[in-house]
Amino acid sequence: MTGMAKIKFFMVITFFIIAAVFSLFYKVDRLAQTRTVNLTAIPTEIGEWHMLDQHTDARASESEFLNDVLFRTYKRHDGKTISLAIAYGADQRQHFSIHVPEGCYRAAGFDVTSFGIANMDTPGLELKKLLVKGQGRTEPMLYWIVLNGKVVTNHFERKIKQVYYSIFGAQSDGVLVRVSSLSTDKDFQQDYEIQKAFIAVLYKTLNPELRRLLFGDKIDEHKKL
């Protein structure tokens, strides 16, 4: 175990000890999350991209803990397509309800390679960078997660927050936004830049409510491209 891994391990153990002690002496009011969202209000035209199709039906296994989902395909004038997937869970105390793509794709038999975190200045985002391969396709993918209005794509920070919400009953919603496209083994790196450009235009196209939902409360709107 590396030095950094040991530090993270002891931080997690310390957090659980503090949480256990706190829960013995303090009563936390468990408030139900009542926020509603309308993901279909996301524009069908995003810059040079126009919507080809969409569906909003969650799988049976997901409908128990996800309140809203949106799957859309957008197409550019040159024929390039991008898939946009959004999963919204109103109450992150239940089942740690935001499930990351790595686990879902691996469970479905795909090979998933992680390239760590990629950053965007506008909007200010930390994006998880994946390459999914299998069943005759190569799919570069970027995603990020917002919990309680803050981008927490980092795995360690996200788990700490989810444990906190679960133990203390803190009210919080969460959303995962995934952008992907089909590519080739040779050209997949270029697709990440196309996806980032799509995300930047998506951010500018959204109304303030949806922008806060999908990009967090503390996005710096004064940064310029």
Side-chain angles (χ1 to χ4, degrees), residues 6 28-29 36 64 72 77 90 148 168 183 186 205 217:
K6 288 181 179 179
V28 179
D29 291 331
T36 59
E64 296 180 2
R72 275 188 183 171
H77 60 85
N148 200 26
F168 299 126
S183 187
K186 180 181 178 181
T205 305
D217 294 330

Side-chain angles (χ1 to χ4, degrees), residues 151-163:
V151 178
V152 286
T153 306
N154 178 277
H155 176 78
F156 179 72
E157 182 181 5
R158 186 173 72 253
K159 285 303 180 184
I160 289 294
K161 285 185 175 293
Q162 287 176 323
V163 170

Side-chain angles (χ1 to χ4, degrees), residues 53-178:
D53 57 64
Q54 77 169 14
H55 66 92
T56 57
D57 298 323
R59 293 192 297 262
S61 59
E62 298 172 332
S63 60
E64 296 180 2
F65 55 84
L66 290 177
N67 298 84
D68 294 277
V69 296
L70 177 69
F71 300 95
R72 275 188 183 171
T73 303
Y74 287 86
K75 187 176 182 179
R76 199 168 58 182
H77 60 85
D78 61 357
K80 183 67 176 178
T81 60
I82 272 184
S83 296
L84 172 67
I86 302 171
Y88 174 75
D91 189 348
Q92 288 304 296
R93 298 171 300 179
Q94 298 178 2
H95 310 298
F96 296 163
S97 61
I98 296 298
H99 292 179
V100 296
E102 294 96 315
C104 297
Y105 276 90
R106 285 178 179 137
F110 289 89
D111 178 59
V112 181
T113 301
S114 172
F115 292 108
I117 297 293
N119 293 296
M120 285 186 65
D121 291 331
T122 305
L125 281 176
E126 283 191 345
L127 304 159
K128 192 65 181 291
K129 189 176 180 180
L130 304 178
L131 181 64
V132 177
K133 299 180 71 174
Q135 301 182 9
R137 73 184 192 186
T138 298
E139 187 174 4
M141 181 179 299
L142 297 172
Y143 78 84
W144 70 96
I145 293 173
V146 178
L147 293 179
N148 200 26
K150 182 181 179 183
V151 178
V152 286
T153 306
N154 178 277
H155 176 78
F156 179 72
E157 182 181 5
R158 186 173 72 253
K159 285 303 180 184
I160 289 294
K161 285 185 175 293
Q162 287 176 323
V163 170
Y164 173 82
Y165 301 144
S166 179
I167 292 176
F168 299 126
Q171 182 176 349
S172 174
D173 60 355
V175 62
L176 182 146
V177 186
R178 187 189 78 211

